[in-house]
Amino acid sequence: MDYDVKTNLHSVLNDLPQGVRLVAISKYHPNEYIEAAYQEGQRIFGESHEQELRAKSQSLPSDIEWHFIGHLQTNKVKYIAPYISMIEAVDSLKLLKEIDRQAERNNRVINVLLELHIAEEETKYGLTLDACRELLAAGEWRQMEHVRICGLMMMASYVEDQEQIRSEFLTAKHFFDEVKAQYFADAPYFCERSWGMSHDYPLAIECGSTMVRVGTKIFGPRVY
Ligand SMILES: *Cc1c(COP(=O)(O)O)cnc(C)c1O
């Protein structure tokens, strides 16, 4: 292994205060890297491609909690529904409905996060704050008994300007508080704020992250 997964994992874990969990983003990395982190006690891993995730989930220990972090096409939901632990990137009502439908077919409840688009980049996916408000106000999600909305996820802009990144994280945090108060005040499971990646997770933690998604800093650069 040309990358010291074990040392890097512990250095990230040491940065996390109580109440902040690590999703180790293992996309494009081989099983042996995941096994190295697993042996150190890491159990939550994040992947962004359905086929890659399927292969890994079938060959790695069954107590790994897999998070789906990438853009998810509705026609792929059925493949991950039997085993996925959390779908972090719900960016439309259509996708939410399909997750509910497939979760019901599998007789389970799937945890999800709503993905916000706050970053300035056009390329990023996610719901604008207004689109997210509309989705929640429309209320159809209340009838979905097989999805549990556990919080929000977002990516900050990939820029040098720390104040811009901070302001995007804080926008997400304030929006979380708004949504929590309006729709989930009595729902203790609505508690996750998934923000922070390799280059910005310390700042994300300052801005209320409960779940950081770190890949490169643990596993090294991805080979696409
Ligand atoms: C790839 C990815 C990450 C991890 O990024 P790193 O810079 O490698 O830490 C986090 N979140 C999402 C949504 C990703 O696609």
Side-chain angles (χ1 to χ4, degrees):
M1 197 175 307
D2 49 7
Y3 215 76
D4 193 350
V5 169
K6 180 178 164 180
T7 307
N8 296 325
L9 174 73
H10 286 294
S11 109
V12 172
L13 288 172
N14 282 336
D15 289 337
L16 306 187
Q18 234 185 359
V20 180
R21 291 188 296 157
L22 170 65
V23 182
I25 304 300
S26 49
K27 63 188 184 197
Y28 295 101
H29 292 296
N31 281 2
E32 58 170 332
Y33 281 43
I34 299 172
E35 281 161 350
Y38 181 90
Q39 278 160 19
E40 297 303 307
Q42 180 64 26
R43 289 294 179 273
I44 312 177
F45 292 86
E47 291 280 337
S48 59
H49 291 95
E50 184 277 317
Q51 283 185 324
E52 181 182 354
L53 172 54
R54 192 186 330 178
K56 285 174 172 173
S57 70
Q58 285 169 0
S59 54
L60 286 160
S62 59
D63 64 340
I64 288 180
E65 295 171 37
W66 295 104
H67 284 209
F68 198 91
I69 58 157
H71 180 65
L72 180 58
Q73 291 169 288
T74 47
N75 63 356
K76 299 283 173 65
V77 173
K78 58 178 174 288
Y79 301 119
I80 64 172
Y83 68 90
I84 200 75
S85 170
M86 180 175 270
I87 298 175
E88 291 209 19
V90 174
D91 58 2
S92 69
L93 180 61
K94 184 174 167 228
L95 179 58
L96 192 62
K97 277 186 191 168
E98 178 62 7
I99 296 168
D100 184 53
R101 203 167 76 90
Q102 296 297 339
E104 180 170 17
R105 287 182 62 188
N106 285 278
N107 211 359
R108 60 185 297 245
V109 175
I110 296 181
N111 293 326
V112 305
L113 303 179
L114 301 177
E115 179 178 5
L116 302 177
H117 180 133
I118 291 173
E120 60 183 15
E121 287 108 320
E122 295 280 327
T123 52
K124 297 223 158 70
Y125 289 103
L127 298 154
T128 63
L129 301 190
D130 277 338
C132 191
R133 286 186 184 105
E134 274 171 38
L135 186 155
L136 290 167
E140 210 176 323
W141 58 275
R142 293 181 192 275
Q143 272 72 57
M144 300 180 192
E145 291 177 2
H146 298 270
V147 289
R148 186 188 291 125
I149 302 176
C150 297
L152 305 175
M153 180 271 220
M154 59 83 78
M155 273 195 263
S157 296
Y158 193 76
V159 292
E160 288 297 322
D161 183 354
Q162 297 299 298
E163 285 317 307
Q164 180 180 344
I165 298 173
R166 182 191 302 277
S167 132
E168 292 177 1
F169 285 148
L170 289 177
T171 297
K173 181 173 190 285
H174 295 141
F175 187 72
F176 175 93
D177 293 341
E178 172 190 322
V179 167
K180 174 84 182 165
Q182 205 167 345
Y183 297 102
F184 297 99
D186 300 324
Y189 55 81
F190 187 90
C191 63
E192 298 295 357
R193 294 178 292 269
S194 175
W195 43 84
M197 302 162 56
S198 289
H199 62 284
D200 60 13
Y201 73 86
L203 190 48
I205 291 167
E206 282 178 36
C207 301
S209 172
T210 61
M211 208 184 252
V212 294
R213 308 180 309 268
V214 178
T216 309
K217 193 158 185 242
I218 298 168
F219 300 114
R222 288 178 282 273
V223 182
Y224 295 102

